[in-house]
Amino acid sequence: MKPPTSPMRILRMLFWETTVRCNLACAHCRRLESNDAGVADLSTSQGETLIDQLAELGRRQPHMPLLVFSGGEPSCRRDLFTLMERARQRGIILALATNGTTINHEKALQIRDSGVARVSVSLDGATAEVHDRMRQIPGAFDRALEGIRHLHDAGVPFQINVTLTKQNVHQLEDVYEVAKSLGAVAVHIFMLVPVGCGQVLAETDMLSPQQYEQIMQDICTLESRGEIQIKVTCGPHYERVKRQMRIESKAANPQSAIRNPQSKGCLAGLGVLFVSHRGDVYPCGYLPVNCGNILQKRLIEIWDSSEDLARMRDVAALEGKCGVCGYKQVCGGCRARAFGMTGNYMGEEPFCAYDPRAAEPERIR
């Protein structure tokens, strides 16, 4: 019998794939569909329905969720700012995830005036050579930097996102320094998940569990400097590594409106949801377990009644070494990587080097 889900569980962030269309063709992208599938994007009225449903869920919580307008490339939607205004009027906190290449001076001002709390721009290298190779478009790096500078000049808070692979892991600290020099408020470091286009990339560019362990320690060292906010995404074992290294974040969040929960590593289905461009609801953008569609069932009902979400929220149901790990309450392992490698989203994290059965008992703070 599957455990019931708690109706009072707080949804902190919803990522909406506003469109599958994009002007780039990144090697590590989670999307599988081509730009032609953009005809199936939620219409303006359907997007407004999603926003209203999110507001309905948020009104029963202590605070509204953060809605991340993502893609694809969200700027490919002509009604983007209409939808952002709808969300703002409903009291929803706004964020925008973009590759930055379409942002000019006028667009930056529109973004600022939309009331967005923060914009994330992806830089997958500190040099054009590395970034453009992963983005598969020459000139993408320079155009992204230009977009970032327009955001900075317009006074829009922004963070830098970087997805680590064997191609760019050697530039992690360089990306960190670039982010600081550009005036970013945070660096979010993503660990590659073998879904979408990343399935092919994973065969050659996925870091090994031992490499992940080392890079987590390197990130801890960067975070301990207290110079800029750092968050690791899709690398839940970072929460274990931080505790083992006794690292406390010294960089206060300069944008208090941004919900940045770090009490647990994997938040798929716990505090995070992903809605596809067709309206399908998933625990996260990297875990292809369909929990319902907002055009057929209200978001609040999906959040409260999905059996898959309920199962993911049950830490006691974790299997393999994750199930016996003393850090499972703060880590939980990446459910998407477990699913991608084994087909079982409750299986053990396949890219974690830590063996709780061999380790000495450790006190968890």
Side-chain angles (χ1 to χ4, degrees), residues 16 27 53 55 66 111 118 120 175 179 199 259 293 339 344 347:
W16 176 21
Q53 290 183 13
L66 172 71
I111 293 172
R118 187 184 294 180
S120 66
V175 171
Q199 287 179 301
R259 311 289 179 194
N293 188 288
F339 183 83
N344 175 15

Side-chain angles (χ1 to χ4, degrees), residues 202-216:
E203 296 178 4
T204 56
D205 282 23
M206 198 87 174
L207 297 172
S208 69
Q210 292 72 29
Q211 289 171 319
Y212 271 123
E213 192 75 6
Q214 181 58 57
I215 200 63
M216 296 291 183

Side-chain angles (χ1 to χ4, degrees), residues 8-305:
M8 291 311 295
R9 181 174 292 279
I10 296 175
L11 176 61
R12 299 179 181 273
M13 293 188 288
L14 185 143
F15 293 83
W16 176 21
E17 182 187 44
T18 56
T19 178
V20 75
R21 289 173 291 156
C22 186
N23 61 320
L24 300 181
C26 305
H28 55 284
C29 184
R30 59 157 298 281
R31 69 173 187 159
L32 283 170
E33 298 174 283
S34 68
N35 284 344
D36 293 338
V39 296
D41 292 347
L42 294 180
S43 66
T44 300
S45 61
Q46 290 171 335
E48 290 173 343
T49 294
L50 168 60
I51 290 167
D52 291 348
Q53 290 183 13
L54 180 60
E56 176 191 23
L57 193 161
R59 282 192 291 269
R60 77 173 187 186
Q61 300 184 163
H63 55 73
M64 279 287 180
L66 172 71
L67 174 57
V68 182
F69 288 80
S70 184
E73 172 51 47
S75 63
C76 290
R77 282 196 73 122
R78 294 181 179 179
D79 59 357
L80 175 64
F81 293 105
T82 298
L83 292 166
M84 293 179 76
E85 175 61 18
R86 177 83 166 206
R88 189 190 66 79
Q89 290 177 352
R90 298 296 185 270
I92 296 171
I93 304 165
L94 310 180
L96 178 66
T98 174
N99 59 44
T101 63
T102 66
I103 299 175
N104 55 24
H105 175 68
E106 292 73 21
K107 186 67 67 65
L109 294 179
Q110 276 185 291
I111 293 172
R112 180 197 65 191
D113 295 342
S114 72
V116 68
R118 187 184 294 180
V119 174
S120 66
V121 181
S122 298
L123 284 184
D124 289 315
T127 61
E129 177 187 5
V130 174
H131 178 86
D132 291 358
R133 182 169 64 244
M134 293 188 68
R135 294 281 154 172
Q136 302 189 122
I137 298 288
F141 182 75
D142 291 336
R143 288 162 59 194
L145 289 186
E146 183 178 356
I148 289 170
R149 293 187 181 104
H150 285 305
L151 290 172
H152 182 271
D153 292 345
V156 179
F158 65 91
Q159 69 186 46
I160 298 301
N161 290 355
V162 54
T163 299
L164 292 184
T165 71
K166 289 181 180 178
Q167 293 188 45
N168 64 2
V169 67
H170 64 287
Q171 287 196 336
L172 173 61
E173 186 165 357
D174 294 330
V175 171
Y176 173 88
E177 293 296 338
V178 167
K180 284 199 306 174
S181 69
L182 292 170
V185 297
V187 176
H188 284 212
I189 303 166
F190 289 69
M191 300 302 173
L192 184 64
V193 180
V195 297
C197 299
Q199 287 179 301
V200 176
L201 191 65
E203 296 178 4
T204 56
D205 282 23
M206 198 87 174
L207 297 172
S208 69
Q210 292 72 29
Q211 289 171 319
Y212 271 123
E213 192 75 6
Q214 181 58 57
I215 200 63
M216 296 291 183
Q217 294 176 21
D218 294 342
I219 295 170
C220 276
T221 301
L222 288 177
E223 183 175 1
S224 69
R225 295 180 186 178
E227 300 170 323
I228 189 172
Q229 181 197 51
I230 289 181
K231 184 176 184 297
V232 176
T233 299
C234 300
H237 27 312
Y238 183 63
E239 293 301 316
R240 166 184 56 81
V241 173
K242 279 206 303 184
R243 285 160 174 78
Q244 290 176 316
M245 293 183 67
R246 299 295 186 259
I247 296 294
E248 298 289 346
S249 177
K250 299 177 183 178
N253 189 341
Q255 280 295 112
S256 59
I258 292 291
R259 311 289 179 194
N260 186 30
Q262 298 195 46
S263 59
K264 191 173 191 300
C266 182
L267 291 169
L270 283 78
V272 168
L273 282 180
F274 176 89
V275 177
S276 79
H277 73 113
R278 298 172 183 267
D280 295 315
V281 179
Y282 298 93
C284 81
Y286 301 101
L287 181 49
V289 175
N290 195 325
C291 299
N293 188 288
I294 61 98
L295 301 180
Q296 301 165 359
K297 194 173 185 179
R298 286 161 53 233
L299 184 66
I300 197 170
E301 295 175 6
I302 296 172
W303 180 247
D304 287 348
S305 64

Side-chain angles (χ1 to χ4, degrees), residues 312-359:
M312 286 177 209
R313 294 165 184 165
D314 183 13
V315 177
L318 290 172
E319 301 173 14
K321 67 179 182 180
C322 286
V324 299
C325 184
Y327 290 94
K328 64 183 178 182
Q329 294 286 349
V330 296
C331 171
C334 176
R335 299 300 95 218
R337 266 198 298 272
F339 183 83
M341 299 301 291
T342 69
N344 175 15
Y345 59 70
M346 296 305 288
E348 66 181 46
E349 159 69 66
F351 287 89
C352 175
Y354 181 70
D355 186 353
R357 292 162 293 204

